[in-house]
Amino acid sequence: MTTKKIQKFIAERRPTPYLVVDLDVVADNYRKLASAVPQAGIYYAVKANPAPEILSLLAKMGASFDTASVAEIDMALAAGVDGGRISFGNTIKKASDIAAAHARGVKLYAFDSEAELDKLAKAAPGAKVFCRILTSGEGADWPLSRKFGCEVEMARDLLIAAAKRGVLPHGVSFHVGSQMKDTNAWDAAVAQAAWIFRECEAAGVQLSMLNIGGGFPTRYRKDIPAMQSYGEAIHASLARHFGNRIPSEIIVEPGRQMVGNAGVIDTEVVLVSKKSSKESRRWVYLDIGKFGGLAETMDEAIQYPIVAAKKGPVGRVVIAGPTCDSADVMYEKADYRLPLDLEAGDRLEIRATGAYTTTYASVAFNGFEPIKTYCI
């Protein structure tokens, strides 16, 4: 997506590469999500794009924040919220970081193992804790399975144990995978969470929070379902599996949905070449690549729309970055086509790049500076 504001900004020809984010689009995305899941508290995933302007805007609109580190917690606090509106959602935390978050007033913590529960009990006594369960990630363009979460039986046992450890067993969380285009993908995990709620209640432990994670997509090269369709499917799942005892607190953790389509990367073509005189497909090298913020092009999983200012006949291309690393090739298998008269010095727009770009950029690989962000 691009907007008139973004087009006007790009027309001023700043040095590339850079990301420009239209804050009006972010605000509109927040309103769409809030309308689709009105029963849920919105905890924006700071890792998606931590630009201070974005965090401040969302804080003013009523968002809370999902954080993965003490640094992100401090970003959320600087945006104007208190610790009560912050979740430490990373299941892999140092004990010292848990203590630092607790000292900052953070009350909500994720875990998925007995060892992590031990750390929470010692470093954040009295905190609310929620256990993350495994999901398959099937159907997501960027799956988040295996590394995070535990089996449902273990989650039940951990939450029951938590009640005896000086922390408050608060609920269950899961994540169906990023860029999930199946609106029914939440159903199986909601069913598992409902089972855990019932099992814990039978053991005398009352849970009250269900965190259904993120996964809501942004539009790249293909259409996606409307946000309202996700809300309707999720509400139906909650009613189906929890009946009239839907948890009193529902949390969603949007990242990509909130900022993805709000950003455009302006990039310059560095070189156009061929590997053989017999080959018709050209290699197009840009001044940004995997190490400059486009890490999600790994395995060509996320396919950003790429638009040239030049019009006219187009041909197939391989698109690569500028670094001295052979892994810095974004698209070779996907069918990308760019103008036949494209040449060094031309500009391209890489659209829908508001999420997971600036935060994935290397500090200075090959001496290239991290990508700059402009919020307008």
Side-chain angles (χ1 to χ4, degrees):
M1 177 177 180
T2 187
T3 65
K4 290 182 178 179
K5 282 171 65 179
I6 289 177
Q7 289 300 312
K8 182 179 179 182
F9 190 90
I10 289 175
E12 296 176 4
R13 306 287 288 188
R14 289 168 177 79
T16 60
Y18 64 83
L19 170 70
V20 55
V21 175
D22 188 337
L23 294 173
D24 291 340
V25 177
V26 177
D28 185 55
N29 289 338
Y30 181 90
R31 287 188 287 266
K32 287 178 179 176
L33 179 59
S35 175
V37 285
Q39 73 274 45
I42 296 175
Y43 280 66
Y44 172 65
V46 174
K47 61 181 176 289
N49 190 322
E53 299 90 340
I54 292 173
L55 301 187
S56 295
L57 168 67
L58 292 175
K60 290 175 183 176
M61 294 187 76
S64 298
F65 296 95
D66 167 55
T67 63
S69 65
V70 174
E72 286 191 350
I73 289 169
D74 287 341
M75 293 175 193
L77 293 170
V81 302
D82 60 32
R85 286 169 61 184
I86 297 172
S87 168
F88 204 161
N90 192 346
T91 59
I92 307 159
K93 303 176 289 293
K94 292 181 178 180
S96 58
D97 288 343
I98 295 171
H102 193 239
R104 286 162 168 77
V106 176
K107 297 178 174 61
L108 189 59
Y109 298 82
F111 75 106
D112 62 3
S113 66
E114 185 175 3
E116 191 71 8
L117 177 59
D118 287 342
K119 286 187 284 184
L120 288 168
K122 294 174 183 176
K128 297 178 180 179
V129 299
F130 59 96
C131 191
R132 180 166 172 170
I133 59 175
L134 285 164
T135 61
S136 70
E138 184 177 351
D141 286 352
W142 196 263
L144 296 170
S145 56
R146 297 297 302 159
K147 183 177 179 181
F148 307 104
C150 63
E151 297 286 352
V152 292
E153 293 83 2
M154 179 177 283
R156 172 200 59 196
D157 295 344
L158 287 171
L159 287 164
I160 293 171
K164 304 171 184 178
R165 302 295 300 278
V167 291
L168 177 65
H170 192 47
V172 177
S173 76
F174 60 84
H175 199 298
V176 298
S178 193
Q179 191 66 9
M180 174 59 75
K181 296 189 284 291
D182 179 3
T183 59
N184 294 312
W186 283 256
D187 188 66
V190 169
Q192 292 179 323
W195 180 85
I196 295 171
F197 269 65
R198 291 190 295 270
E199 288 283 302
C200 285
E201 183 178 27
V205 175
Q206 192 73 38
L207 304 178
S208 58
M209 185 275 284
L210 177 62
N211 181 341
I212 63 173
F216 308 112
T218 197
R219 189 188 187 284
Y220 291 115
R221 301 175 79 193
K222 297 180 180 179
D223 289 337
I224 57 173
M227 191 63 242
Q228 200 64 35
S229 297
Y230 287 92
E232 291 169 359
I234 288 168
H235 179 75
S237 290
L238 291 170
R240 182 181 307 116
H241 300 298
F242 282 94
N244 60 359
R245 302 189 67 186
I246 292 175
S248 59
E249 185 178 358
I250 305 292
I251 285 176
V252 294
E253 296 175 340
R256 195 182 305 277
Q257 176 273 339
M258 193 67 68
V259 293
N261 68 338
V264 174
I265 287 175
D266 187 17
T267 179
E268 181 180 325
V269 176
V270 179
L271 176 68
V272 180
S273 67
K274 293 182 180 180
K275 299 299 181 184
S276 165
S277 60
K278 298 178 182 179
E279 186 178 18
S280 62
R281 190 168 60 162
R282 296 157 296 152
W283 283 67
V284 175
Y285 300 89
L286 308 179
D287 62 1
I288 187 172
K290 283 182 178 176
F291 303 100
L294 301 180
E296 287 196 323
T297 63
M298 182 174 63
D299 297 327
E300 306 191 19
I302 301 298
Q303 297 186 10
Y304 302 105
I306 300 178
V307 179
K310 286 184 172 178
K311 306 301 177 184
V314 298
R316 292 186 64 209
V317 295
V318 176
I319 301 176
T323 64
C324 295
D325 192 308
S326 60
D328 196 9
V329 177
M330 285 88 78
Y331 303 116
E332 187 170 7
K333 298 176 182 177
D335 186 15
Y336 276 84
R337 299 174 184 241
L338 290 171
L340 294 175
D341 59 350
L342 192 72
E343 59 187 350
D346 289 341
R347 298 282 187 100
L348 299 176
E349 292 180 14
I350 308 178
R351 296 181 177 176
T353 44
Y356 303 110
T357 50
T358 56
T359 46
Y360 268 133
S362 66
V363 174
F365 182 54
N366 278 178
F368 293 107
E369 293 183 359
I371 186 171
K372 292 182 174 63
T373 301
Y374 300 95
C375 294
I376 58 174

